[in-house]
Amino acid sequence: MSLKLVSRFFVIFALFAMFFPFMPAHALEVKDVRFGIHEDKTRIVLDMDQAADFQSFVLSDPYRLVVDLPRFTWSVKNFTANDEAGILAVRQGALKPGVSRIVFDLSRSMSIRSAFVLPAKGQKGDRLVIDIARIGVDEFKQFKGQIHGNLDINNPPNNAGQSYSNKSKSKANAAVKNDYKPLVVIDPGHGGVDPGAVGKEAGLLEKDVVLKLALSLRDALVKSGRYRVKMTRSTDVFISLRGRVKFARDAGADLFVSIHADSIGNKKVRGASVYTLSEKASDKQTAALAARENKADLIAGIDLSVEDQDVVNILVDLARRDTMNQSKFFAGKLATVLPKEGVRTLEHTHRYAGFAVLKAPDIPSVLVEAGFMSNKNEARMLNTETYRNKVVSGLKRGINAYFDQVQKNQRE
Ligand SMILES: [Zn+2]
């Protein structure tokens, strides 16, 4: 080959590399589809040649399960309908450039319990696991539009393996090895220029009480060896509500716990309570509480015009990503375990309202009111280490119960 020809080849190669910089070594391959029938669920396992991001959701009229993956080749040989599993048929093909879709026809109304990637281990290759379970037709409406997984089909990857996000990868790998330490972000409310509620006990401020609670909780969680912990503040400083949410998202939190001890008009109201985000407050008292908490930035003199966000959009996003159900599940756990540790709780312990600090679309988040500073007895109790330790034990127990369930869902 003459030198001229070699250089021409080189130019062609260079041009090719310039226009197709991320040509995949090979596209994703779906090798097999298997079903596991359990008493309470059907497990669908897609055997793949590499781990990849996905998204999955259910549809009605007729009932279907949809799984989107980066463009794949389908090498499934024998697919047989499985009536017991509730699966009538399967179709697959290109959806749009870079994205392929699998559709399972379901024989009845079913919802996705959990969906996750299990990286190759031993004899087993990379797998996508989707657990579906039978639910009532009315119940189905709750799950409609809820998306599992984080494949962005509007911005699909050029290369499935490359796309499989680092966060997904490290979490999935660690889940298999069972050594992933979830990151809990603890958010002591108020601080600095914003004192929060002023207690019915001389000189007692919410910002100080919640910081003490948060620091003890941090120590208890770290000591357990099961978690990584970050604090939005560990000193007496002011942080905006949006700054707290951003902190948790930037840190890649798995759980966000905001700790407060507020005051309310009715001085008789006492007991710990747990809140999750909702457009409509569960009751007037809770609406007033959320309005008060959301004033933190106003109190600190922050320009609120840039902080305004559309709550409805956020709620839609929360529901789509399943974060809302996880937050509710965690709040329910807390409501159950707090009294077991000797913490007095408000009736209907788990309540809902539009708290600005609970708006991370991808992190299960709750706000805990450890008690009401407006109640004389409770303010006095919150000022003692003995009572604060009970609150901390309850919170830790709830966090353990939450992650027990998360890890159970991820095990095969
Ligand atoms: Zn507060």
Side-chain angles (χ1 to χ4, degrees):
M1 206 187 286
S2 75
L3 196 65
K4 204 175 168 188
L5 205 57
V6 169
S7 68
R8 187 172 296 165
F9 268 115
F10 179 77
V11 168
I12 291 168
F13 176 78
L15 278 173
F16 185 82
M18 199 153 67
F19 286 110
F20 303 97
F22 301 117
M23 277 296 276
H26 60 288
L28 177 66
E29 182 188 359
V30 178
K31 301 197 280 194
D32 200 6
V33 180
R34 297 178 283 127
F35 303 114
I37 298 162
H38 301 255
E39 207 167 289
D40 58 336
K41 69 184 179 202
T42 290
R43 169 156 287 189
I44 302 171
V45 180
L46 300 179
D47 289 310
M48 308 188 295
D49 70 329
Q50 57 192 293
D53 282 332
F54 68 96
Q55 73 164 13
S56 186
F57 51 91
V58 286
L59 296 169
S60 59
D61 307 305
Y63 293 112
R64 282 153 295 164
L65 168 71
V66 176
V67 182
D68 290 334
L69 285 161
R71 186 173 60 84
F72 59 68
T73 52
W74 181 260
S75 325
V76 179
K77 293 271 153 34
N78 301 306
F79 178 87
T80 41
N82 190 319
D83 197 37
E84 205 185 339
I87 291 160
L88 301 173
V90 66
R91 293 180 290 287
Q92 55 76 31
L95 176 71
K96 55 195 287 184
V99 182
S100 296
R101 171 165 285 187
I102 308 169
V103 181
F104 293 94
D105 288 333
L106 306 176
S107 64
R108 47 193 177 243
S109 55
M110 295 176 100
S111 69
I112 299 171
R113 279 270 189 81
S114 55
F116 48 92
V117 170
L118 280 174
K121 188 193 177 193
Q123 299 282 73
K124 293 175 173 174
D126 294 303
R127 286 146 290 162
L128 171 59
V129 177
I130 301 173
D131 288 336
I132 55 174
R134 183 170 197 162
I135 51 163
V137 174
D138 285 340
E139 220 184 328
F140 183 87
K141 289 178 193 134
Q142 287 178 32
F143 293 94
K144 217 173 163 181
Q146 198 171 87
I147 298 175
H148 292 252
N150 48 17
L151 174 71
D152 181 359
I153 64 163
N154 295 317
N155 191 14
N158 292 306
N159 177 331
Q162 207 173 47
S163 82
Y164 186 47
S165 55
N166 282 332
K167 196 178 163 190
S168 312
K169 202 176 287 175
S170 66
K171 280 193 182 180
N173 272 320
V176 166
K177 280 189 261 153
N178 228 351
D179 65 355
Y180 176 72
K181 284 190 181 183
L183 176 63
V184 180
V185 167
I186 306 173
D187 173 49
H190 313 278
V193 65
D194 169 22
V198 177
K200 288 280 156 197
E201 173 90 346
L204 193 62
L205 299 176
E206 179 184 2
K207 67 172 184 177
D208 298 327
V209 171
V210 297
L211 182 57
K212 282 178 188 162
L213 275 169
L215 288 168
S216 307
L217 179 61
R218 176 191 67 184
D219 293 347
L221 293 179
V222 168
K223 202 175 152 201
S224 76
R226 190 174 170 185
Y227 307 102
R228 290 172 296 136
V229 180
K230 284 190 175 174
M231 312 263 294
T232 53
R233 70 175 180 100
S234 52
T235 56
D236 184 20
V237 291
F238 174 81
I239 304 164
S240 73
L241 295 172
R242 202 167 70 161
R244 294 167 195 261
V245 176
K246 187 176 182 299
F247 176 90
R249 297 193 74 194
D250 289 349
D254 294 292
L255 191 66
F256 180 81
V257 186
S258 190
I259 302 179
H260 290 254
D262 253 83
S263 67
I264 199 156
N266 185 346
K267 305 271 178 286
K268 285 182 189 153
V269 174
R270 61 178 293 187
S273 44
V274 185
Y275 300 84
T276 50
L277 186 67
S278 161
E279 185 188 357
K280 264 188 82 177
S282 49
D283 52 88
K284 267 191 181 166
Q285 193 174 299
T286 307
L289 189 67
R292 204 195 161 288
E293 292 293 10
N294 291 346
K295 268 188 198 154
D297 290 354
L298 196 96
I299 291 165
I302 289 200
D303 175 11
L304 291 178
S305 58
V306 294
E307 303 273 313
D308 258 352
Q309 278 180 311
D310 187 354
V311 183
V312 179
N313 281 343
I314 291 161
L315 286 166
V316 168
D317 210 18
L318 277 168
R320 273 170 55 100
R321 301 200 205 194
D322 200 29
T323 313
M324 189 84 86
N325 282 337
Q326 289 168 296
S327 302
K328 284 183 194 168
F329 174 78
F330 176 44
K333 282 285 172 204
L334 284 175
T336 315
V337 299
L338 280 165
K340 289 182 181 162
E341 295 294 333
V343 178
R344 186 179 175 133
T345 49
L346 194 63
E347 62 167 352
H348 309 300
T349 312
H350 174 200
R351 300 179 181 217
Y352 310 85
F355 290 95
V357 80
L358 300 179
K359 287 179 184 169
D362 43 6
I363 306 168
S365 305
V366 305
L367 184 144
V368 176
E369 294 283 355
F372 286 98
M373 302 277 274
S374 39
N375 182 278
K376 210 169 182 177
N377 281 327
E378 203 144 75
R380 202 171 285 156
M381 279 161 70
L382 285 166
N383 203 18
T384 67
E385 201 180 337
T386 318
Y387 189 70
R388 285 199 303 268
N389 283 342
K390 290 182 183 176
V391 176
V392 167
S393 299
L395 294 176
K396 186 183 150 198
R397 199 164 155 181
I399 291 167
N400 283 339
Y402 171 78
F403 283 108
D404 284 347
Q405 186 62 43
V406 169
Q407 280 157 0
K408 194 173 154 220
N409 286 345
Q410 284 171 345
R411 272 197 296 274
E412 196 177 27

